[in-house]
Amino acid sequence: MSPTQQDEAVTVGFIYPDHAAEDDYPYAEKLLSGTARLAVEHIYGTDLHAVAELLDLGSPARLAEGATQLAAHEPDAVVWACTSGSFVYGWDGAHEQVASLSAAAAGLPASSTSFAFVRAARALGVRTVAVAASYPDDVAELFVEFLGRGGVEVVGMSSADIVTAAEVGRLSTDEVVDLVVSRDRPDADALLVPDTAMRTLALLDPLEQRLGKPVLTANQVTVWEGLRLAGVTAAVPGLGTLFREKGD
């Protein structure tokens, strides 16, 4: 990136829980070729895919801590890069969560991965989806409810019953592909993969070619949502159908 590009590029800040697949973000930044900087800061809590722990992970105090860390990057927008730690609050609670995050980030535009999924589906005109969740069933069902509130119909949901984010982050490429492909439904317009702990960005184009439909994954839609909030809508090769279309 040249000095001029550095001056002109927007910065999007991401609050990422613990450590698992955060290397998806520098991967995306490289593909953006100077359009934006993607700054990642971490907050820490128990990484269990369980409701009580997820409510704690996404609490206002923890997200305010992340917003404080991101301030040093001078972001133009901030995103809570956690699906389960946002949809577990429900539709109304997730709106309150984002409003609290925006306030903690000095009024910057803010969002979360759960809202990113809904907006990405709308941007692509997707009406029906299948969900390939890594979570236990009770957590995955909350994502289905959230999507429904956003007007996205889930025609099939399957869960891999993986208890922690760390375990998801250790999945091999072949295991990720198997998990995703085996959970597609022919009546789904798109396939959704809702865990930011899963490395997926390098797999998007091959997965879409294999399935013949858009694949929306957590880190992909999170990056897209942050860019959208910051006013960046340029097409980006290598990140799936979502990045070949202009955002809404």
Side-chain angles (χ1 to χ4, degrees):
M1 187 189 303
S2 70
T4 300
Q5 286 176 309
Q6 287 179 339
D7 292 339
E8 294 177 352
V10 301
T11 297
V12 182
F14 300 93
I15 302 172
Y16 191 94
D18 294 285
H19 296 275
E22 65 267 30
D23 46 345
D24 266 356
Y25 292 83
Y27 178 87
E29 182 176 278
K30 183 177 180 180
L31 293 179
L32 285 164
S33 302
T35 304
R37 294 184 293 268
L38 308 183
V40 179
E41 292 290 348
H42 298 267
I43 59 172
Y44 299 94
T46 304
D47 74 339
L48 285 174
H49 289 148
V51 172
E53 285 77 7
L54 292 168
L55 288 170
D56 175 70
L57 187 63
S59 67
R62 290 194 186 277
L63 295 189
E65 177 187 348
T68 298
Q69 295 177 70
L70 283 172
H73 301 280
E74 300 183 348
D76 297 284
V78 295
V79 185
W80 170 218
C82 183
T83 324
S84 55
S86 47
F87 69 67
V88 74
Y89 278 82
W91 185 258
D92 294 332
H95 275 93
E96 294 173 4
Q97 182 187 57
V98 166
S100 176
L101 173 57
S102 176
L108 289 174
S111 190
S112 68
T113 305
S114 293
F115 287 122
F117 270 111
V118 171
R119 291 179 182 130
R122 290 174 179 171
L124 294 180
V126 166
R127 294 290 179 264
T128 60
V129 302
V131 173
S134 55
Y135 320 121
D137 278 343
D138 62 330
V139 175
E141 287 290 353
L142 295 176
F143 184 52
V144 173
E145 292 176 16
F146 189 94
L147 292 171
R149 285 293 303 274
V152 181
E153 180 186 357
V154 178
V155 294
M157 188 280 287
S158 57
S159 55
D161 199 27
I162 301 176
V163 178
T164 69
E167 292 174 82
V168 175
R170 290 193 292 268
L171 292 173
S172 69
T173 296
D174 287 344
E175 288 171 327
V176 170
V177 170
D178 288 345
L179 187 154
V180 173
V181 171
S182 64
R183 287 158 171 79
D184 186 30
R185 286 276 299 263
D187 51 343
D189 296 333
L191 182 63
L192 274 54
V193 188
D195 198 337
T196 58
M198 188 182 297
R199 291 177 182 83
T200 59
L201 296 196
L203 304 176
L204 283 164
D205 283 356
L207 284 170
E208 290 192 339
Q209 290 167 10
R210 183 166 174 178
L211 296 175
K213 65 181 63 175
V215 175
L216 299 178
T217 72
N219 289 324
Q220 174 208 35
V221 301
T222 301
V223 171
W224 177 85
E225 176 77 337
L227 294 172
R228 185 188 69 83
L229 290 177
V232 178
T233 58
V236 183
L239 291 177
T241 300
L242 180 62
F243 278 84
R244 289 192 291 272
E245 304 288 342
K246 292 205 172 183
D248 60 358

